[in-house]
Amino acid sequence: MRFGGTLRLFVFPHAGGSQLMFHEWARLFPAGWRLLPQDYPGHGLLAGEPPIGDADTLVDWFLDRLSAELDDPEVPFACFGHSMGSLIAFELTRRLVDEGRRPPVWLGLSGCGAPRPGRPAEEPGELSDAELRRKLIRLGGTPPRILDNPELWCVFAPVFRADISLVRNWRPPQDVTPLPVPLTVFHGEHDTTAPAGRLEQWAKSTDHFLGVRRFEGGHFYFQDDPAALADAVTAGVRAGLEALAGTP
C-alpha cells in the first residue's frame, strides 16, 4: 500500500522526561504526519499537576485524555516510547486491544527490556537523594542544572521518584496474548539498562515482531542526532500500514 495520508505519531518520554526532548522531531517525518509528544502529569507543560506513580492509573489517564484521537476512524496512529515511555506505550496498546478498540498500526519501543511477569522489584525501598542522583546521572538525559540546583531538585525529585516507582512496580499480566500489532525494538549499543536477551524477548508480545534495531550510543543514543532513529521509525510505521492493508 502506498501511504500518502495523515498519521498521528504519539511519543511517550522517559522517566523524568517531557515532550520538550522531541519538539524538533516533527521536521524529520513525512509531510502529513502529526507528531504528538506527550507529557505525563507533573512533567513539562503539566508540571503543575501531581505526578502519577502507577502504570495502570497513568494509562487510564491517557485513554481518557487521548480518546478522541485514538478512536478517530479517519486517521491511523502509531506509538513510540523511550525507556519508561515504552512501558506506557505497550500498556496503552494492550489495553486498547483488550477493550476491543482500534490499536496503533505500529508500536516502537526504545531503551527498554521486555516485561518479566511475576518478577519481584529489583530495587526495594526508596532511593536516597544521593542514590537517585547517581541513577539519573548513569542514565543521562537529566540536565545538570536540575541535579545540582537545590531549589530545582526539591521541585523535580518527587517527579523522578514517582516515575521510578512506576517502573519498579509495573507488573504485566502473567498470561499476555501477543498483540496483533507490528512491533520494533530500538536500543543503544552501550546502553546497559536492558540486557540484550530481554530485547529479543519482546517478540513474545506480538504476532508481528520486526526485530531489534541497534544504534551507536548509550541510553539516550538518539539525543544528539535523532535523524537515523526517525528514519527507522518511519520505516516501521510504513511496514505496519502495509501489514494492515494485507500487502507484503
Side-chain angles (χ1 to χ4, degrees):
M1 178 182 72
R2 292 184 60 83
F3 176 70
T6 59
L7 177 132
R8 295 184 177 105
L9 177 59
F10 295 100
V11 177
F12 299 91
H14 60 285
S18 76
Q19 63 171 280
L20 295 177
M21 175 172 279
F22 307 99
H23 75 281
E24 294 184 353
W25 280 35
R27 62 182 176 80
L28 302 174
F29 292 98
W33 289 27
R34 185 181 174 201
L35 186 72
L36 296 168
Q38 300 298 304
D39 277 328
Y40 309 122
H43 301 64
L45 300 178
L46 303 179
E49 300 185 16
I52 296 175
D54 175 75
D56 287 337
T57 304
L58 185 55
V59 171
D60 285 338
W61 185 85
F62 275 119
L63 286 172
D64 179 65
R65 181 181 180 86
L66 303 176
S67 61
E69 294 170 307
L70 295 175
D71 295 331
D72 179 1
E74 300 299 322
V75 182
F77 69 93
C79 293
F80 171 86
H82 177 65
S83 197
M84 183 182 92
S86 292
L87 300 184
I88 301 305
F90 174 74
E91 277 295 284
L92 179 71
T93 301
R94 188 180 67 81
R95 290 276 293 279
L96 289 170
V97 171
D98 287 350
E99 294 174 11
R101 297 167 65 181
R102 185 182 62 150
V105 299
W106 173 84
L107 180 60
L109 306 178
S110 170
C112 182
R116 292 175 286 185
R119 186 178 179 87
E122 298 178 4
E123 301 177 61
E126 185 171 289
L127 299 176
S128 68
D129 274 6
E131 291 169 331
L132 180 57
R133 280 192 177 93
R134 285 196 294 270
K135 185 178 184 70
L136 294 172
I137 290 170
R138 185 170 68 252
L139 290 174
T142 303
R145 63 184 180 85
I146 292 177
L147 298 173
D148 300 335
N149 184 306
E151 293 182 0
L152 289 177
W153 178 255
C154 287
V155 172
F156 286 99
V159 176
F160 295 138
R161 291 187 188 283
D163 288 354
I164 289 174
S165 176
L166 183 152
V167 174
R168 283 174 19 191
N169 295 327
W170 176 69
R171 294 294 176 269
Q174 290 288 343
D175 299 311
V176 178
T177 302
L179 297 171
V181 176
L183 188 157
T184 308
V185 174
F186 304 96
H187 190 63
E189 290 280 8
H190 306 295
D191 183 359
T192 59
T193 64
R198 284 187 60 201
L199 300 173
E200 279 73 16
Q201 287 174 13
W202 278 113
K204 301 176 182 178
S205 299
T206 175
D207 289 331
H208 307 281
F209 188 56
L210 300 179
V212 179
R213 291 290 310 274
R214 291 177 169 84
F215 297 84
E216 181 64 28
H219 192 58
F220 290 93
Y221 59 92
F222 56 83
Q223 192 166 14
D224 293 333
D225 183 10
L229 175 58
D231 288 344
V233 169
T234 300
V237 172
R238 286 178 167 154
L241 289 163
E242 291 177 355
L244 183 65
T247 59

